[in-house]
Amino acid sequence: MTQKDDILIIGGGIIGITCAYELSQRGARVTVIDKGEIGFGCSYGNAGWVTPCFAMPLPMPGMLLKSIGWLMDPESPLYIQPSLNPDLFKWLLRFLRSMNKSLMEQSIHSLVEISKYSLEAYSQLNDKFPNQFNYEKNGLLMVSQTEAGLAAAENERRLVETHGVPGSLLNEDEVHKLEPAIVGSVKGGVYFPKEAHLEPLSATRTIAEAAIKNGVQILSNTEVYDFVTDGNKIVEVHTTRGPMRADKIVLATGSWSPGLAKKLKLNIPVLGGKGYSLIVKPLKKQPKIPLMLVERKIAVTPRSNSLRLAGTLELVSPTDYSITSNRVNAILRGSKLFLDMPENPEVLELWRGLRPCTPDGVPVVGFSPRFKNLFISAGHQMLGMQSAPGSAKLAGDLILNEKPIFDPYPFRAERF
Ligand SMILES: Cc1cc2nc3c(=O)[nH]c(=O)nc-3n(C[C@H](O)[C@H](O)[C@H](O)COP(=O)(O)OP(=O)(O)OC[C@H]3O[C@@H](n4cnc5c(N)ncnc54)[C@H](O)[C@@H]3O)c2cc1C
């Protein structure tokens, strides 16, 4: 690399922070700015799964028919809010066009690759900073109460197996033996033994601290509101703490990216995939393994002294942070079908976040076609936590003009 590249990263979620760490490990001079506190965007309350088995793009073939059915059901796991917003319309058209098998195969390959890299990277970070972010490698169990759900889980297992993610099909007895916290009758499950989970805010903070030790400057409560450009270059970034300049600028603002991109007359088609996460008191029969309750699409993550239940994906405008009680209650009701929970579980924390969803299900990680010093790293949909170190590696390679270890083509910015 050229000595001491000066890089300004906008956005201190897991994507911006891992990017800062990666670049600083390689000698770059980096500043991260965030409009709030580091790690309090979508990276705050997610399920914390680092699961290459779930490296699926959102627009999977067959999703269309399912989502039409789900639209009728106010408690369904996926909901598309009807709206006359032209951005939503354009996004949906591109989403539909992306539901084809060859694109899906290419996307899964790319997403599994960066997720597998990330799984290893988190494991190394955990060795370096032990007991900082509750990293555990207990695998992931998909559990199903219906034949159709089990067939769908097995289908996913076969799909990711071809990309080197091992998993096995379990019958009902094997499911109960592996995870005694599951109650009632189930049809079976699929177990992926190599997957991991972690505490998302702690992971983001641990990596931020490591980056600071490398010399990264982190400025919280510093909001970008405009840019000054000259031809194909951004020459100044206007922030609430004054103007800033840098050789290269990285936009890592998750679901806020479309708004900032518009200031630059750029199109980053990201919708908010709203999801909820509830932290409840530990159960008498507390699960040890993260669980995907297949029919309800609920992610259950054991924590040291509580349990996280996360779910729903409601496609909304990136500014809609409203809370819909029906959808929150559906998570509790769905969890009770699989776990021994009290009638009225005590919810210690309710959180909602907007997953930054691109219409083709692949993040944008690449230089802007319009501004030669603008790099975009946004749109990591349901996979931002689990793909962050791999995404940062790709970003680092491209920003520092080195040969990328992953194929950058599926992630390129100019596809939109
Ligand atoms: C319920 C739920 C469960 C999930 N579970 C998982 C999971 O198990 N595993 C997984 O991999 N992913 C999961 N995800 C997805 C994951 O949380 C996201 O993909 C990831 O957090 C995106 O990270 P990010 O850094 O791009 O965005 P963010 O974390 O949102 O960071 C963007 C940052 O940009 C800052 N910002 C925005 N605008 C400006 C501005 N103008 N100026 C300065 N700063 C600005 C914000 O303050 C914010 O901190 C889940 C998401 C949800 C909602």
Side-chain angles (χ1 to χ4, degrees):
M1 63 170 282
T2 56
Q3 255 309 302
K4 298 284 177 205
D5 277 50
D6 207 350
I7 298 163
L8 175 68
I9 299 180
I10 309 171
I14 190 66
I15 297 301
I17 290 298
T18 46
C19 196
Y21 178 65
E22 173 73 29
L23 289 165
S24 64
Q25 286 283 89
R26 294 158 76 168
R29 212 169 56 203
V30 182
T31 301
V32 181
I33 53 177
D34 196 289
K35 69 185 178 70
E37 295 296 329
I38 294 304
F40 275 79
C42 194
S43 304
Y44 172 76
N46 60 63
W49 287 9
V50 185
T51 48
C53 66
F54 285 131
M56 306 288 176
L58 190 57
M60 296 277 281
M63 180 66 104
L64 179 61
L65 280 178
K66 258 193 217 163
S67 52
I68 289 172
W70 278 336
L71 273 176
M72 313 294 160
D73 176 0
E75 293 196 359
S76 66
L78 174 74
Y79 181 67
I80 303 171
Q81 207 176 62
S83 152
L84 294 175
N85 179 346
D87 288 342
L88 173 70
F89 186 70
K90 280 191 230 147
W91 191 99
L92 284 173
L93 276 183
R94 185 68 186 253
F95 180 70
L96 295 180
R97 275 197 359 241
S98 306
M99 281 186 197
N100 73 71
K101 201 157 181 288
S102 68
L103 189 61
M104 180 194 77
E105 273 298 330
Q106 185 198 61
S107 306
I108 294 181
H109 174 76
S110 306
L111 298 173
V112 170
E113 259 199 324
I114 57 169
S115 299
K116 281 187 358 187
Y117 178 96
S118 303
L119 182 65
E120 182 52 36
Y122 279 122
S123 169
Q124 286 172 12
L125 281 166
N126 183 51
D127 291 343
K128 213 166 164 184
F129 310 105
N131 308 319
Q132 296 299 302
F133 52 96
N134 297 54
Y135 177 84
E136 287 192 50
K137 210 169 173 180
N138 293 349
L140 184 281
L141 176 61
M142 294 177 83
V143 55
S144 176
Q145 288 181 330
T146 63
E147 290 293 354
L150 187 59
E154 171 59 0
N155 197 27
E156 279 191 34
R157 185 195 68 75
R158 288 212 191 104
L159 203 61
V160 290
E161 186 181 45
T162 57
H163 297 276
V165 181
S168 50
L169 183 63
L170 307 183
N171 63 29
E172 177 169 12
D173 288 346
E174 289 165 330
V175 166
H176 285 300
K177 200 166 163 210
L178 182 66
E179 182 45 272
I182 291 168
V183 293
S185 159
V186 294
K187 291 290 175 211
V190 167
Y191 181 56
F192 296 97
K194 297 204 164 163
E195 322 305 83
H197 65 283
L198 47 74
E199 198 47 42
L201 179 62
S202 312
T204 309
R205 283 181 165 165
T206 303
I207 300 167
E209 276 159 28
I212 290 169
K213 284 201 184 109
N214 285 347
V216 172
Q217 189 188 16
I218 296 187
L219 302 173
S220 43
N221 302 310
T222 307
E223 180 172 354
V224 173
Y225 64 90
D226 214 345
F227 301 90
V228 178
T229 61
D230 181 8
N232 62 0
K233 207 172 170 228
I234 296 176
V235 287
E236 210 164 70
V237 177
H238 282 183
T239 84
T240 48
R241 293 193 186 213
M244 293 187 181
R245 287 167 174 260
D247 298 329
K248 287 169 189 159
I249 293 150
V250 179
L251 194 69
T253 41
S255 62
W256 288 272
S257 304
L260 276 181
K262 272 191 185 147
K263 304 250 175 209
L264 291 162
K265 299 194 173 59
L266 291 175
N267 176 32
I268 305 180
V270 165
L271 280 187
K274 195 193 290 173
Y276 300 95
S277 146
L278 296 100
I279 296 180
V280 295
K281 280 196 161 175
L283 307 183
K284 279 193 194 122
K285 275 182 165 181
Q286 171 86 343
K288 301 269 183 304
I289 301 174
L291 306 171
M292 167 55 84
L293 312 181
V294 174
E295 288 79 10
R296 302 287 160 156
K297 294 222 178 307
I298 295 171
V300 179
T301 315
R303 303 174 85 227
S304 52
N305 51 6
S306 58
L307 188 68
R308 192 191 292 276
L309 310 171
T312 82
L313 200 156
E314 193 179 340
L315 285 169
V316 295
S317 105
T319 50
D320 177 356
Y321 277 90
S322 59
I323 294 181
T324 310
S325 301
N326 256 350
R327 311 190 78 75
V328 175
N329 293 336
I331 296 176
L332 286 174
R333 271 198 293 277
S335 304
K336 283 182 200 164
L337 298 174
F338 291 81
L339 298 168
D340 188 5
M341 291 176 63
E343 181 57 26
N344 293 308
E346 195 177 331
V347 177
L348 304 173
E349 185 180 336
L350 165 63
W351 172 85
R352 79 289 213 189
L354 299 186
R355 304 170 181 93
C357 296
T358 58
D360 63 5
V362 178
V364 176
V365 185
F367 275 103
S368 149
R370 181 151 180 186
F371 297 104
K372 64 177 192 206
N373 63 337
L374 175 67
F375 192 89
I376 301 163
S377 190
H380 290 72
Q381 50 157 9
M382 306 93 96
L383 314 167
M385 211 67 215
Q386 75 174 49
S387 63
S391 169
K393 169 73 178 136
L394 175 61
D397 289 344
L398 295 172
I399 292 169
L400 302 177
N401 207 13
E402 290 170 16
K403 191 171 183 301
I405 66 163
F406 305 115
D407 178 6
Y409 183 79
F411 301 96
R412 72 205 181 282
E414 56 269 30
R415 69 188 198 273
F416 295 121

